[in-house]
Amino acid sequence: MTALDRQDEPVTAVRPATAGRLRYLILAMLFAVTTINYADRATLSIAGDAMQRDLHISSGELGLLFSAFSWSYLIAQIPGGWLLDRYGSKKVYGAAIFLWSVFTMMQGAIGFFSGAAVVLLFVLRFVVGLAEAPSFPGNSRIVAAWFPTKERGFAAALFNSAQYFATVAFAPLMGWLVVSLGWEHVFTVVGGVGVVLALIWTKVIHP
């Protein structure tokens, strides 16, 4: 077999030295994408207080909004894994990055619909959860395809550490955005970074 049947899996014809360099570039991409993944999840946590004041969202409603992501993320785990197996990580994960980033950006426009803010935010947080569901199964699938067994522990530890790096890197930035530019920009900036990463993904993840 000269090539494996999924786009996220390596081509056997690639020279070992080239494959070695390429897999660490792919691992760096997984780290970056997982970082923005967790930054997207934290947007509402950082912007929530300001949004409550501006949009008159109660604490109970805010709690409901927080739960929307978790419900959909849970529901979509198994379907997300099936899609990864059926269509490959390049296509499914790439589309997921783009979609969750666009849905995150859309939350920055909620202020224009203040009368329906809670309903619209719930829907957007719900679809962000659906879109993000393939992320960690996708990470594991790509690492298994590109890294030998003896290196997978390191690779998994690295992309898992991105969830904590996201807090270190993005929490101060998002706090500054709320204070300096307004809560809307938390969503537009973080979502915009994700859209850029989705485009880069199509160049880095390949057969």
Side-chain angles (χ1 to χ4, degrees), residues 82-129:
W82 180 84
L83 288 170
L84 289 163
D85 287 337
R86 179 67 179 83
Y87 298 105
S89 299
K90 179 178 181 177
K91 292 180 180 179
V92 174
Y93 204 162
I97 299 165
F98 181 79
L99 288 173
W100 86 53
S101 299
V102 170
F103 294 146
T104 296
M105 292 178 70
M106 290 173 67
Q107 292 172 66
I110 287 296
F112 293 107
F113 308 94
S114 58
V118 173
V119 173
L120 291 175
L121 270 174
F122 185 91
V123 171
L124 287 172
R125 293 295 293 180
F126 193 89
V127 292
V128 167

mmCIF file of all heavy atoms in Angstrom, residues 82-129:
data_model
loop_
_atom_site.group_PDB
_atom_site.id
_atom_site.type_symbol
_atom_site.label_atom_id
_atom_site.label_comp_id
_atom_site.label_asym_id
_atom_site.label_seq_id
_atom_site.Cartn_x
_atom_site.Cartn_y
_atom_site.Cartn_z
ATOM 1 N N TRP A 82 -17.452 9.254 14.463
ATOM 2 C CA TRP A 82 -17.862 8.539 13.251
ATOM 3 C C TRP A 82 -17.512 9.342 11.999
ATOM 4 O O TRP A 82 -17.017 8.794 11.012
ATOM 5 C CB TRP A 82 -19.361 8.260 13.293
ATOM 6 C CG TRP A 82 -19.844 7.529 12.067
ATOM 7 C CD1 TRP A 82 -19.822 6.182 11.833
ATOM 8 C CD2 TRP A 82 -20.398 8.135 10.879
ATOM 9 N NE1 TRP A 82 -20.335 5.906 10.591
ATOM 10 C CE2 TRP A 82 -20.695 7.073 9.983
ATOM 11 C CE3 TRP A 82 -20.672 9.449 10.502
ATOM 12 C CZ2 TRP A 82 -21.251 7.302 8.729
ATOM 13 C CZ3 TRP A 82 -21.215 9.678 9.244
ATOM 14 C CH2 TRP A 82 -21.516 8.618 8.382
ATOM 15 N N LEU A 83 -17.753 10.647 12.050
ATOM 16 C CA LEU A 83 -17.432 11.491 10.902
ATOM 17 C C LEU A 83 -15.933 11.495 10.621
ATOM 18 O O LEU A 83 -15.509 11.464 9.456
ATOM 19 C CB LEU A 83 -17.923 12.922 11.149
ATOM 20 C CG LEU A 83 -19.438 13.132 11.088
ATOM 21 C CD1 LEU A 83 -19.803 14.526 11.578
ATOM 22 C CD2 LEU A 83 -19.954 12.915 9.669
ATOM 23 N N LEU A 84 -15.128 11.524 11.679
ATOM 24 C CA LEU A 84 -13.674 11.476 11.495
ATOM 25 C C LEU A 84 -13.252 10.191 10.800
ATOM 26 O O LEU A 84 -12.411 10.207 9.891
ATOM 27 C CB LEU A 84 -12.978 11.601 12.853
ATOM 28 C CG LEU A 84 -13.032 12.970 13.523
ATOM 29 C CD1 LEU A 84 -12.677 12.853 15.000
ATOM 30 C CD2 LEU A 84 -12.096 13.950 12.829
ATOM 31 N N ASP A 85 -13.831 9.076 11.229
ATOM 32 C CA ASP A 85 -13.493 7.792 10.608
ATOM 33 C C ASP A 85 -14.005 7.706 9.175
ATOM 34 O O ASP A 85 -13.355 7.104 8.312
ATOM 35 C CB ASP A 85 -14.089 6.639 11.426
ATOM 36 C CG ASP A 85 -13.361 6.414 12.738
ATOM 37 O OD1 ASP A 85 -12.186 6.808 12.843
ATOM 38 O OD2 ASP A 85 -13.976 5.836 13.654
ATOM 39 N N ARG A 86 -15.137 8.302 8.921
ATOM 40 C CA ARG A 86 -15.761 8.184 7.592
ATOM 41 C C ARG A 86 -15.093 9.099 6.562
ATOM 42 O O ARG A 86 -14.874 8.696 5.418
ATOM 43 C CB ARG A 86 -17.258 8.534 7.702
ATOM 44 C CG ARG A 86 -18.022 8.483 6.388
ATOM 45 C CD ARG A 86 -18.114 7.063 5.863
ATOM 46 N NE ARG A 86 -18.872 6.999 4.623
ATOM 47 C CZ ARG A 86 -18.371 7.255 3.411
ATOM 48 N NH1 ARG A 86 -17.102 7.613 3.277
ATOM 49 N NH2 ARG A 86 -19.145 7.169 2.338
ATOM 50 N N TYR A 87 -14.783 10.336 6.962
ATOM 51 C CA TYR A 87 -14.308 11.314 5.991
ATOM 52 C C TYR A 87 -12.869 11.785 6.220
ATOM 53 O O TYR A 87 -12.331 12.509 5.377
ATOM 54 C CB TYR A 87 -15.239 12.529 5.974
ATOM 55 C CG TYR A 87 -16.651 12.174 5.554
ATOM 56 C CD1 TYR A 87 -17.674 12.112 6.491
ATOM 57 C CD2 TYR A 87 -16.950 11.888 4.229
ATOM 58 C CE1 TYR A 87 -18.967 11.769 6.113
ATOM 59 C CE2 TYR A 87 -18.238 11.543 3.843
ATOM 60 C CZ TYR A 87 -19.244 11.494 4.792
ATOM 61 O OH TYR A 87 -20.516 11.158 4.416
ATOM 62 N N GLY A 88 -12.261 11.400 7.320
ATOM 63 C CA GLY A 88 -10.878 11.788 7.573
ATOM 64 C C GLY A 88 -10.771 13.056 8.407
ATOM 65 O O GLY A 88 -11.644 13.929 8.379
ATOM 66 N N SER A 89 -9.673 13.163 9.123
ATOM 67 C CA SER A 89 -9.495 14.275 10.052
ATOM 68 C C SER A 89 -9.236 15.604 9.354
ATOM 69 O O SER A 89 -9.599 16.655 9.880
ATOM 70 C CB SER A 89 -8.346 13.982 11.017
ATOM 71 O OG SER A 89 -8.630 12.834 11.772
ATOM 72 N N LYS A 90 -8.583 15.576 8.201
ATOM 73 C CA LYS A 90 -8.324 16.846 7.515
ATOM 74 C C LYS A 90 -9.629 17.563 7.193
ATOM 75 O O LYS A 90 -9.791 18.755 7.502
ATOM 76 C CB LYS A 90 -7.528 16.619 6.236
ATOM 77 C CG LYS A 90 -7.256 17.920 5.466
ATOM 78 C CD LYS A 90 -6.429 17.711 4.227
ATOM 79 C CE LYS A 90 -6.172 19.039 3.536
ATOM 80 N NZ LYS A 90 -5.307 18.910 2.343
ATOM 81 N N LYS A 91 -10.567 16.852 6.589
ATOM 82 C CA LYS A 91 -11.827 17.474 6.191
ATOM 83 C C LYS A 91 -12.710 17.794 7.389
ATOM 84 O O LYS A 91 -13.202 18.915 7.541
ATOM 85 C CB LYS A 91 -12.575 16.559 5.227
ATOM 86 C CG LYS A 91 -11.911 16.399 3.874
ATOM 87 C CD LYS A 91 -12.716 15.468 2.986
ATOM 88 C CE LYS A 91 -12.067 15.301 1.620
ATOM 89 N NZ LYS A 91 -12.831 14.363 0.754
ATOM 90 N N VAL A 92 -12.943 16.805 8.252
ATOM 91 C CA VAL A 92 -13.891 16.977 9.349
ATOM 92 C C VAL A 92 -13.371 17.958 10.388
ATOM 93 O O VAL A 92 -14.074 18.881 10.808
ATOM 94 C CB VAL A 92 -14.215 15.611 9.999
ATOM 95 C CG1 VAL A 92 -15.094 15.800 11.230
ATOM 96 C CG2 VAL A 92 -14.889 14.693 8.992
ATOM 97 N N TYR A 93 -12.127 17.776 10.802
ATOM 98 C CA TYR A 93 -11.545 18.659 11.824
ATOM 99 C C TYR A 93 -11.390 20.070 11.264
ATOM 100 O O TYR A 93 -11.676 21.066 11.941
ATOM 101 C CB TYR A 93 -10.192 18.092 12.254
ATOM 102 C CG TYR A 93 -9.702 18.492 13.634
ATOM 103 C CD1 TYR A 93 -8.700 17.762 14.260
ATOM 104 C CD2 TYR A 93 -10.217 19.599 14.304
ATOM 105 C CE1 TYR A 93 -8.225 18.107 15.512
ATOM 106 C CE2 TYR A 93 -9.756 19.957 15.553
ATOM 107 C CZ TYR A 93 -8.748 19.208 16.146
ATOM 108 O OH TYR A 93 -8.276 19.571 17.388
ATOM 109 N N GLY A 94 -10.957 20.180 10.010
ATOM 110 C CA GLY A 94 -10.817 21.500 9.398
ATOM 111 C C GLY A 94 -12.143 22.236 9.334
ATOM 112 O O GLY A 94 -12.225 23.434 9.648
ATOM 113 N N ALA A 95 -13.197 21.533 8.920
ATOM 114 C CA ALA A 95 -14.526 22.148 8.887
ATOM 115 C C ALA A 95 -14.983 22.526 10.287
ATOM 116 O O ALA A 95 -15.602 23.588 10.490
ATOM 117 C CB ALA A 95 -15.523 21.187 8.254
ATOM 118 N N ALA A 96 -14.666 21.681 11.271
ATOM 119 C CA ALA A 96 -15.056 21.963 12.649
ATOM 120 C C ALA A 96 -14.400 23.237 13.159
ATOM 121 O O ALA A 96 -15.054 24.080 13.785
ATOM 122 C CB ALA A 96 -14.679 20.780 13.546
ATOM 123 N N ILE A 97 -13.102 23.391 12.895
ATOM 124 C CA ILE A 97 -12.391 24.603 13.325
ATOM 125 C C ILE A 97 -13.037 25.843 12.730
ATOM 126 O O ILE A 97 -13.284 26.839 13.418
ATOM 127 C CB ILE A 97 -10.899 24.536 12.928
ATOM 128 C CG1 ILE A 97 -10.205 23.360 13.595
ATOM 129 C CG2 ILE A 97 -10.190 25.839 13.312
ATOM 130 C CD1 ILE A 97 -8.858 23.009 12.983
ATOM 131 N N PHE A 98 -13.318 25.778 11.437
ATOM 132 C CA PHE A 98 -13.922 26.924 10.762
ATOM 133 C C PHE A 98 -15.300 27.241 11.333
ATOM 134 O O PHE A 98 -15.619 28.401 11.631
ATOM 135 C CB PHE A 98 -14.019 26.651 9.262
ATOM 136 C CG PHE A 98 -14.619 27.783 8.482
ATOM 137 C CD1 PHE A 98 -13.862 28.899 8.156
ATOM 138 C CD2 PHE A 98 -15.952 27.748 8.079
ATOM 139 C CE1 PHE A 98 -14.418 29.948 7.442
ATOM 140 C CE2 PHE A 98 -16.518 28.790 7.371
ATOM 141 C CZ PHE A 98 -15.741 29.891 7.050
ATOM 142 N N LEU A 99 -16.119 26.214 11.519
ATOM 143 C CA LEU A 99 -17.483 26.437 11.993
ATOM 144 C C LEU A 99 -17.518 26.968 13.414
ATOM 145 O O LEU A 99 -18.245 27.927 13.707
ATOM 146 C CB LEU A 99 -18.283 25.138 11.889
ATOM 147 C CG LEU A 99 -18.664 24.695 10.476
ATOM 148 C CD1 LEU A 99 -19.291 23.319 10.496
ATOM 149 C CD2 LEU A 99 -19.604 25.707 9.827
ATOM 150 N N TRP A 100 -16.748 26.336 14.322
ATOM 151 C CA TRP A 100 -16.825 26.826 15.705
ATOM 152 C C TRP A 100 -16.282 28.256 15.801
ATOM 153 O O TRP A 100 -16.748 29.035 16.633
ATOM 154 C CB TRP A 100 -16.163 25.873 16.685
ATOM 155 C CG TRP A 100 -14.692 25.976 16.947
ATOM 156 C CD1 TRP A 100 -13.986 27.082 17.314
ATOM 157 C CD2 TRP A 100 -13.736 24.902 16.918
ATOM 158 N NE1 TRP A 100 -12.652 26.765 17.501
ATOM 159 C CE2 TRP A 100 -12.479 25.447 17.266
ATOM 160 C CE3 TRP A 100 -13.834 23.538 16.648
ATOM 161 C CZ2 TRP A 100 -11.318 24.672 17.340
ATOM 162 C CZ3 TRP A 100 -12.680 22.762 16.721
ATOM 163 C CH2 TRP A 100 -11.434 23.322 17.059
ATOM 164 N N SER A 101 -15.339 28.614 14.931
ATOM 165 C CA SER A 101 -14.790 29.966 14.951
ATOM 166 C C SER A 101 -15.810 30.983 14.445
ATOM 167 O O SER A 101 -15.957 32.071 15.011
ATOM 168 C CB SER A 101 -13.512 30.027 14.117
ATOM 169 O OG SER A 101 -12.534 29.154 14.634
ATOM 170 N N VAL A 102 -16.522 30.624 13.378
ATOM 171 C CA VAL A 102 -17.562 31.513 12.854
ATOM 172 C C VAL A 102 -18.682 31.680 13.874
ATOM 173 O O VAL A 102 -19.164 32.801 14.114
ATOM 174 C CB VAL A 102 -18.109 30.981 11.519
ATOM 175 C CG1 VAL A 102 -19.353 31.760 11.089
ATOM 176 C CG2 VAL A 102 -17.037 31.061 10.441
ATOM 177 N N PHE A 103 -19.103 30.585 14.499
ATOM 178 C CA PHE A 103 -20.155 30.672 15.513
ATOM 179 C C PHE A 103 -19.702 31.513 16.701
ATOM 180 O O PHE A 103 -20.513 32.217 17.316
ATOM 181 C CB PHE A 103 -20.549 29.272 15.980
ATOM 182 C CG PHE A 103 -21.210 28.428 14.929
ATOM 183 C CD1 PHE A 103 -21.000 27.051 14.886
ATOM 184 C CD2 PHE A 103 -22.042 28.991 13.983
ATOM 185 C CE1 PHE A 103 -21.609 26.265 13.916
ATOM 186 C CE2 PHE A 103 -22.660 28.218 13.005
ATOM 187 C CZ PHE A 103 -22.436 26.843 12.974
ATOM 188 N N THR A 104 -18.422 31.446 17.045
ATOM 189 C CA THR A 104 -17.891 32.280 18.128
ATOM 190 C C THR A 104 -17.935 33.750 17.726
ATOM 191 O O THR A 104 -18.356 34.603 18.517
ATOM 192 C CB THR A 104 -16.451 31.861 18.471
ATOM 193 O OG1 THR A 104 -16.460 30.521 18.970
ATOM 194 C CG2 THR A 104 -15.849 32.787 19.525
ATOM 195 N N MET A 105 -17.516 34.054 16.508
ATOM 196 C CA MET A 105 -17.561 35.438 16.043
ATOM 197 C C MET A 105 -18.983 35.984 16.057
ATOM 198 O O MET A 105 -19.203 37.154 16.394
ATOM 199 C CB MET A 105 -16.976 35.529 14.631
ATOM 200 C CG MET A 105 -15.482 35.260 14.547
ATOM 201 S SD MET A 105 -14.860 35.332 12.848
ATOM 202 C CE MET A 105 -14.996 37.086 12.522
ATOM 203 N N MET A 106 -19.936 35.163 15.693
ATOM 204 C CA MET A 106 -21.336 35.604 15.648
ATOM 205 C C MET A 106 -21.846 36.029 17.011
ATOM 206 O O MET A 106 -22.732 36.887 17.113
ATOM 207 C CB MET A 106 -22.203 34.481 15.073
ATOM 208 C CG MET A 106 -21.978 34.226 13.593
ATOM 209 S SD MET A 106 -22.866 32.767 12.971
ATOM 210 C CE MET A 106 -24.564 33.308 13.134
ATOM 211 N N GLN A 107 -21.292 35.477 18.077
ATOM 212 C CA GLN A 107 -21.721 35.866 19.422
ATOM 213 C C GLN A 107 -21.394 37.320 19.718
ATOM 214 O O GLN A 107 -22.021 37.945 20.580
ATOM 215 C CB GLN A 107 -21.078 34.944 20.461
ATOM 216 C CG GLN A 107 -21.599 33.515 20.383
ATOM 217 C CD GLN A 107 -20.830 32.568 21.284
ATOM 218 O OE1 GLN A 107 -20.877 32.677 22.507
ATOM 219 N NE2 GLN A 107 -20.109 31.622 20.673
ATOM 220 N N GLY A 108 -20.398 37.861 19.010
ATOM 221 C CA GLY A 108 -20.062 39.267 19.195
ATOM 222 C C GLY A 108 -21.127 40.208 18.680
ATOM 223 O O GLY A 108 -21.126 41.398 19.015
ATOM 224 N N ALA A 109 -22.058 39.697 17.866
ATOM 225 C CA ALA A 109 -23.130 40.533 17.319
ATOM 226 C C ALA A 109 -24.429 40.426 18.107
ATOM 227 O O ALA A 109 -25.441 41.004 17.712
ATOM 228 C CB ALA A 109 -23.385 40.146 15.858
ATOM 229 N N ILE A 110 -24.414 39.710 19.213
ATOM 230 C CA ILE A 110 -25.631 39.501 20.000
ATOM 231 C C ILE A 110 -26.220 40.815 20.492
ATOM 232 O O ILE A 110 -27.439 40.941 20.670
ATOM 233 C CB ILE A 110 -25.323 38.559 21.193
ATOM 234 C CG1 ILE A 110 -25.133 37.136 20.693
ATOM 235 C CG2 ILE A 110 -26.424 38.609 22.245
ATOM 236 C CD1 ILE A 110 -26.364 36.527 20.057
ATOM 237 N N GLY A 111 -25.386 41.819 20.706
ATOM 238 C CA GLY A 111 -25.878 43.104 21.182
ATOM 239 C C GLY A 111 -26.901 43.754 20.268
ATOM 240 O O GLY A 111 -27.702 44.583 20.711
ATOM 241 N N PHE A 112 -26.888 43.387 18.992
ATOM 242 C CA PHE A 112 -27.872 43.937 18.055
ATOM 243 C C PHE A 112 -29.242 43.284 18.210
ATOM 244 O O PHE A 112 -30.220 43.744 17.609
ATOM 245 C CB PHE A 112 -27.389 43.738 16.611
ATOM 246 C CG PHE A 112 -26.163 44.535 16.268
ATOM 247 C CD1 PHE A 112 -24.939 43.900 16.122
ATOM 248 C CD2 PHE A 112 -26.226 45.905 16.109
ATOM 249 C CE1 PHE A 112 -23.802 44.619 15.793
ATOM 250 C CE2 PHE A 112 -25.092 46.646 15.795
ATOM 251 C CZ PHE A 112 -23.878 46.001 15.635
ATOM 252 N N PHE A 113 -29.308 42.228 18.994
ATOM 253 C CA PHE A 113 -30.566 41.485 19.178
ATOM 254 C C PHE A 113 -30.842 41.322 20.672
ATOM 255 O O PHE A 113 -31.150 40.230 21.140
ATOM 256 C CB PHE A 113 -30.460 40.101 18.520
ATOM 257 C CG PHE A 113 -30.015 40.135 17.089
ATOM 258 C CD1 PHE A 113 -28.677 39.983 16.769
ATOM 259 C CD2 PHE A 113 -30.928 40.344 16.073
ATOM 260 C CE1 PHE A 113 -28.259 40.013 15.455
ATOM 261 C CE2 PHE A 113 -30.516 40.387 14.750
ATOM 262 C CZ PHE A 113 -29.176 40.225 14.432
ATOM 263 N N SER A 114 -30.744 42.406 21.407
ATOM 264 C CA SER A 114 -30.818 42.335 22.870
ATOM 265 C C SER A 114 -32.123 41.725 23.366
ATOM 266 O O SER A 114 -32.149 41.064 24.406
ATOM 267 C CB SER A 114 -30.629 43.731 23.474
ATOM 268 O OG SER A 114 -31.607 44.635 22.967
ATOM 269 N N GLY A 115 -33.196 41.879 22.622
ATOM 270 C CA GLY A 115 -34.460 41.315 23.051
ATOM 271 C C GLY A 115 -34.490 39.801 23.020
ATOM 272 O O GLY A 115 -35.272 39.171 23.736
ATOM 273 N N ALA A 116 -33.647 39.227 22.185
ATOM 274 C CA ALA A 116 -33.594 37.765 22.058
ATOM 275 C C ALA A 116 -32.196 37.245 22.387
ATOM 276 O O ALA A 116 -31.813 36.168 21.942
ATOM 277 C CB ALA A 116 -33.992 37.346 20.653
ATOM 278 N N ALA A 117 -31.445 37.999 23.182
ATOM 279 C CA ALA A 117 -30.042 37.690 23.418
ATOM 280 C C ALA A 117 -29.841 36.313 24.031
ATOM 281 O O ALA A 117 -28.968 35.547 23.602
ATOM 282 C CB ALA A 117 -29.418 38.761 24.315
ATOM 283 N N VAL A 118 -30.644 35.971 25.022
ATOM 284 C CA VAL A 118 -30.447 34.702 25.731
ATOM 285 C C VAL A 118 -30.709 33.527 24.787
ATOM 286 O O VAL A 118 -29.920 32.570 24.738
ATOM 287 C CB VAL A 118 -31.351 34.622 26.975
ATOM 288 C CG1 VAL A 118 -31.265 33.230 27.607
ATOM 289 C CG2 VAL A 118 -30.945 35.683 27.991
ATOM 290 N N VAL A 119 -31.786 33.602 24.024
ATOM 291 C CA VAL A 119 -32.117 32.513 23.103
ATOM 292 C C VAL A 119 -31.040 32.352 22.035
ATOM 293 O O VAL A 119 -30.567 31.243 21.754
ATOM 294 C CB VAL A 119 -33.485 32.759 22.442
ATOM 295 C CG1 VAL A 119 -33.750 31.718 21.353
ATOM 296 C CG2 VAL A 119 -34.587 32.727 23.483
ATOM 297 N N LEU A 120 -30.623 33.460 21.441
ATOM 298 C CA LEU A 120 -29.617 33.395 20.390
ATOM 299 C C LEU A 120 -28.271 32.927 20.929
ATOM 300 O O LEU A 120 -27.571 32.143 20.275
ATOM 301 C CB LEU A 120 -29.467 34.763 19.724
ATOM 302 C CG LEU A 120 -30.663 35.229 18.892
ATOM 303 C CD1 LEU A 120 -30.448 36.642 18.381
ATOM 304 C CD2 LEU A 120 -30.890 34.272 17.720
ATOM 305 N N LEU A 121 -27.905 33.410 22.108
ATOM 306 C CA LEU A 121 -26.651 32.961 22.716
ATOM 307 C C LEU A 121 -26.688 31.473 23.026
ATOM 308 O O LEU A 121 -25.693 30.764 22.832
ATOM 309 C CB LEU A 121 -26.368 33.754 23.999
ATOM 310 C CG LEU A 121 -25.547 35.033 23.854
ATOM 311 C CD1 LEU A 121 -25.493 35.772 25.189
ATOM 312 C CD2 LEU A 121 -24.141 34.735 23.354
ATOM 313 N N PHE A 122 -27.821 31.005 23.514
ATOM 314 C CA PHE A 122 -27.944 29.571 23.809
ATOM 315 C C PHE A 122 -27.740 28.753 22.532
ATOM 316 O O PHE A 122 -27.006 27.763 22.527
ATOM 317 C CB PHE A 122 -29.311 29.260 24.421
ATOM 318 C CG PHE A 122 -29.454 27.824 24.851
ATOM 319 C CD1 PHE A 122 -29.110 27.440 26.136
ATOM 320 C CD2 PHE A 122 -29.918 26.855 23.968
ATOM 321 C CE1 PHE A 122 -29.228 26.121 26.544
ATOM 322 C CE2 PHE A 122 -30.033 25.530 24.355
ATOM 323 C CZ PHE A 122 -29.688 25.159 25.644
ATOM 324 N N VAL A 123 -28.385 29.189 21.446
ATOM 325 C CA VAL A 123 -28.259 28.468 20.182
ATOM 326 C C VAL A 123 -26.813 28.473 19.699
ATOM 327 O O VAL A 123 -26.268 27.440 19.273
ATOM 328 C CB VAL A 123 -29.186 29.074 19.112
ATOM 329 C CG1 VAL A 123 -28.893 28.480 17.732
ATOM 330 C CG2 VAL A 123 -30.644 28.838 19.488
ATOM 331 N N LEU A 124 -26.164 29.629 19.776
ATOM 332 C CA LEU A 124 -24.786 29.732 19.297
ATOM 333 C C LEU A 124 -23.828 28.930 20.169
ATOM 334 O O LEU A 124 -22.915 28.270 19.657
ATOM 335 C CB LEU A 124 -24.353 31.203 19.243
ATOM 336 C CG LEU A 124 -24.981 32.013 18.110
ATOM 337 C CD1 LEU A 124 -24.644 33.493 18.244
ATOM 338 C CD2 LEU A 124 -24.520 31.493 16.749
ATOM 339 N N ARG A 125 -24.022 28.969 21.477
ATOM 340 C CA ARG A 125 -23.159 28.161 22.353
ATOM 341 C C ARG A 125 -23.390 26.674 22.095
ATOM 342 O O ARG A 125 -22.467 25.870 22.144
ATOM 343 C CB ARG A 125 -23.446 28.483 23.826
ATOM 344 C CG ARG A 125 -23.074 29.874 24.269
ATOM 345 C CD ARG A 125 -21.585 30.126 24.218
ATOM 346 N NE ARG A 125 -20.859 29.313 25.196
ATOM 347 C CZ ARG A 125 -19.531 29.353 25.337
ATOM 348 N NH1 ARG A 125 -18.804 30.126 24.567
ATOM 349 N NH2 ARG A 125 -18.946 28.595 26.240
ATOM 350 N N PHE A 126 -24.633 26.315 21.801
ATOM 351 C CA PHE A 126 -24.965 24.914 21.520
ATOM 352 C C PHE A 126 -24.251 24.439 20.252
ATOM 353 O O PHE A 126 -23.647 23.355 20.231
ATOM 354 C CB PHE A 126 -26.475 24.768 21.379
ATOM 355 C CG PHE A 126 -26.959 23.347 21.396
ATOM 356 C CD1 PHE A 126 -27.289 22.728 22.589
ATOM 357 C CD2 PHE A 126 -27.090 22.628 20.212
ATOM 358 C CE1 PHE A 126 -27.738 21.413 22.614
ATOM 359 C CE2 PHE A 126 -27.537 21.311 20.230
ATOM 360 C CZ PHE A 126 -27.856 20.707 21.430
ATOM 361 N N VAL A 127 -24.286 25.256 19.199
ATOM 362 C CA VAL A 127 -23.654 24.825 17.951
ATOM 363 C C VAL A 127 -22.133 24.893 18.036
ATOM 364 O O VAL A 127 -21.435 24.135 17.349
ATOM 365 C CB VAL A 127 -24.182 25.623 16.739
ATOM 366 C CG1 VAL A 127 -25.638 25.293 16.474
ATOM 367 C CG2 VAL A 127 -23.985 27.122 16.914
ATOM 368 N N VAL A 128 -21.595 25.759 18.890
ATOM 369 C CA VAL A 128 -20.145 25.732 19.135
ATOM 370 C C VAL A 128 -19.748 24.386 19.738
ATOM 371 O O VAL A 128 -18.751 23.775 19.346
ATOM 372 C CB VAL A 128 -19.702 26.892 20.054
ATOM 373 C CG1 VAL A 128 -18.269 26.670 20.563
ATOM 374 C CG2 VAL A 128 -19.774 28.218 19.318
ATOM 375 N N GLY A 129 -20.544 23.900 20.678
ATOM 376 C CA GLY A 129 -20.275 22.595 21.279
ATOM 377 C C GLY A 129 -20.342 21.474 20.261
ATOM 378 O O GLY A 129 -19.508 20.566 20.254
#
